[in-house]
Amino acid sequence: MDDSVRDITIIGGGPTGLFGAFYGGLRGVSTRIIDSLPELGGQLTALYPEKDIFDVGGIPKILAKDLARDMVTQAMQFDPEVILDEEVRTIERDGEVFRLVGRQGEYLTRTVVVAGGKGAFEPRHLTCPGYHELMGRGVGYTVKDPEEYRGKRVLLVGGGDSALDWALILKDVAAELTLVHRRDGFRSHETSVARLHAANEAGELNLMTFHEVQEVHGSDCVIGATVMDNRTQEARRLEVDAVLTFLGFKPDLGPIKAWGIELDKNRIVVNQLMSTNIPGVYAAGDIVCYEGKLDLIATGYAEAAIAVNNAVHFINPDARVNPGHSTNLAIFKDK
Ligand code: FAD
């Protein structure tokens, strides 16, 4: 239980939530960001880190992961509290404040800005036998410390950035590293793909394209996996100690539906102040709907500014909604 009461808690650390946290800092209120992912950036880091973005004002072209990095830098200058790997399950009124209940803890806040995008991102998993049964006992979907895999035979599954990045790191730590991918195309930076093929040719890892995992074997821990060539249906068993999957993320609106907030087709209904039907609860970004809504980073920025400035006024009715221009604000004088 985090018993410190924040002025604004932002649910979602995508572009909208990050810009909201920056604005909270600019207005001098205490801010907290909670995200279900292990890193900030929302869709930009979870879904398309290597794609170029061309339509953010003042930035002609930028990789999504670089924009996410810069948004984090901008937001962090006012030291918001950041809670990652945490999904907010419920929001309830508790006297003067809201109590947010997550998987890991509870959080008190005077106002809430829901910037949940398409919902909480959850990792995609395999559905084959043995996968869920051996989760945490050799099967995993994140790497906390590469040293855990030193000297082990590791089977990695996936074809995106995370799969390739970890393959290139773990090949130097593991006794044997096999990367299985169901196609021969990769959703990753071309430099990583070139390095992967070079490592395969040098015998530093074993790349198996057009293969899928059919079963993970073991009772107390992983002892092997059966992989199948999806062109010939030929199956073969590999002796491995660990199976790590990097299959991307899928959003789940799940809990947000039960918060008592008015929705329209899985989107939160807001007025021009970005206020929901619950006083003190605001929303912004891809999660909201109103006539003319556009799902863009630029739109999310503007909505975040409106939501946060109105939240500031809600907390302190003497505070103006209009923040003034950053060019003139004393808070930036030392920066
Ligand atoms: P998101 O980025 O979705 O972030 C929401 C965050 O909230 C997520 O990290 C999620 O885990 C978290 N969350 C949700 N519910 C909970 C919960 N209950 N508890 C904890 N955390 C929660 N836009 C452009 O402007 N230009 C482009 O070129 C562009 N290209 C795109 C390309 C692709 C492939 C895709 C998929 C989108 C693209 N977009 C682009 C759209 C843009 O990424 C979105 O509009 C933007 O990410 C929305 O930001 P957001 O912060 O509102 O939501």
Side-chain angles (χ1 to χ4, degrees):
M1 167 87 193
D2 176 352
D3 54 8
S4 56
V5 181
R6 300 278 153 169
D7 291 320
I8 302 179
T9 296
I10 299 173
I11 301 173
T16 307
L18 287 168
F19 199 64
F22 161 74
Y23 242 95
L26 181 153
R27 294 301 309 264
V29 297
S30 60
T31 310
R32 173 196 289 128
I33 307 177
I34 303 179
D35 202 297
S36 59
L37 288 172
E39 68 178 320
L40 292 165
Q43 293 175 44
L44 285 74
T45 38
L47 300 184
Y48 60 104
E50 295 295 339
K51 277 184 180 276
D52 282 317
I53 298 174
F54 300 90
D55 58 349
V56 175
I59 306 174
K61 173 181 169 181
I62 187 165
L63 274 178
K65 68 177 181 190
D66 292 342
L67 181 61
R69 179 202 59 211
D70 292 350
M71 291 186 305
V72 170
T73 304
Q74 187 180 36
M76 291 310 130
Q77 59 188 313
F78 297 115
D79 298 321
E81 182 183 4
V82 177
I83 303 193
L84 296 174
D85 260 329
E86 172 68 305
E87 184 186 357
V88 177
R89 294 266 165 88
T90 59
I91 298 183
E92 58 204 45
R93 258 261 168 233
D94 186 350
E96 293 293 295
V97 298
F98 292 97
R99 178 184 298 276
L100 310 188
V101 181
R103 273 191 306 234
Q104 305 174 30
E106 299 187 6
Y107 312 91
L108 300 178
T109 185
R110 294 188 177 86
T111 61
V112 179
V113 174
V114 186
K118 311 286 185 207
F121 280 111
E122 293 293 336
R124 289 181 199 278
H125 295 296
L126 293 177
T127 52
C128 68
Y131 178 83
H132 284 288
E133 294 84 338
L134 290 160
M135 181 61 71
R137 290 182 289 142
V139 173
Y141 53 90
T142 52
V143 177
K144 296 256 181 325
D145 179 6
E147 283 303 315
E148 277 178 39
Y149 299 97
R150 182 164 294 282
K152 294 197 173 153
R153 297 162 300 176
V154 179
L155 176 64
L156 249 155
V157 188
D161 282 299
S162 303
L164 268 67
D165 287 352
W166 281 118
L168 292 167
I169 293 169
L170 291 178
K171 74 178 175 54
D172 298 329
V173 178
E176 283 170 29
L177 191 285
T178 303
L179 176 65
V180 164
H181 183 39
R182 62 195 161 92
R183 304 186 286 122
D184 65 350
F186 294 92
R187 285 170 289 103
S188 186
H189 197 275
E190 56 195 31
T191 328
S192 305
V193 179
R195 284 182 60 208
L196 180 76
H197 285 300
N200 185 40
E201 276 154 32
E204 294 168 10
L205 55 78
N206 176 26
L207 176 60
M208 298 178 80
T209 52
F210 295 109
H211 278 75
E212 295 172 31
V213 178
Q214 270 196 321
E215 185 168 356
V216 182
H217 304 285
S219 49
D220 294 333
C221 61
V222 171
I223 57 167
T226 299
V227 295
M228 182 195 70
D229 186 323
N230 58 24
R231 298 161 298 187
T232 62
Q233 315 303 309
E234 192 186 326
R236 88 184 238 221
R237 182 170 164 143
L238 304 175
E239 303 308 316
V240 294
D241 308 303
V243 175
L244 292 171
T245 53
F246 297 97
L247 304 170
F249 298 90
K250 60 176 186 324
D252 175 15
L253 202 62
I256 296 179
K257 286 186 187 162
W259 292 350
I261 299 177
E262 185 186 347
L263 299 177
D264 181 8
K265 297 191 189 78
N266 287 339
R267 301 267 192 144
I268 295 178
V269 176
V270 287
N271 61 19
Q272 293 98 321
L273 311 184
M274 293 293 133
S275 175
T276 69
N277 58 314
I278 302 177
V281 178
Y282 298 81
D286 276 13
I287 192 112
V288 303
C289 68
Y290 52 83
E291 195 181 346
K293 166 67 186 161
L294 298 174
D295 286 352
L296 290 173
I297 295 163
T299 329
Y301 287 168
E303 292 163 357
I306 295 170
V308 166
N309 282 297
N310 279 288
V312 168
H313 179 69
F314 179 88
I315 296 163
N316 173 13
D318 291 335
R320 293 184 336 164
V321 174
N322 193 325
H325 295 141
S326 67
T327 39
N328 298 326
L329 292 181
I331 200 159
F332 290 108
K333 286 281 184 289
D334 311 334
K335 290 190 185 285

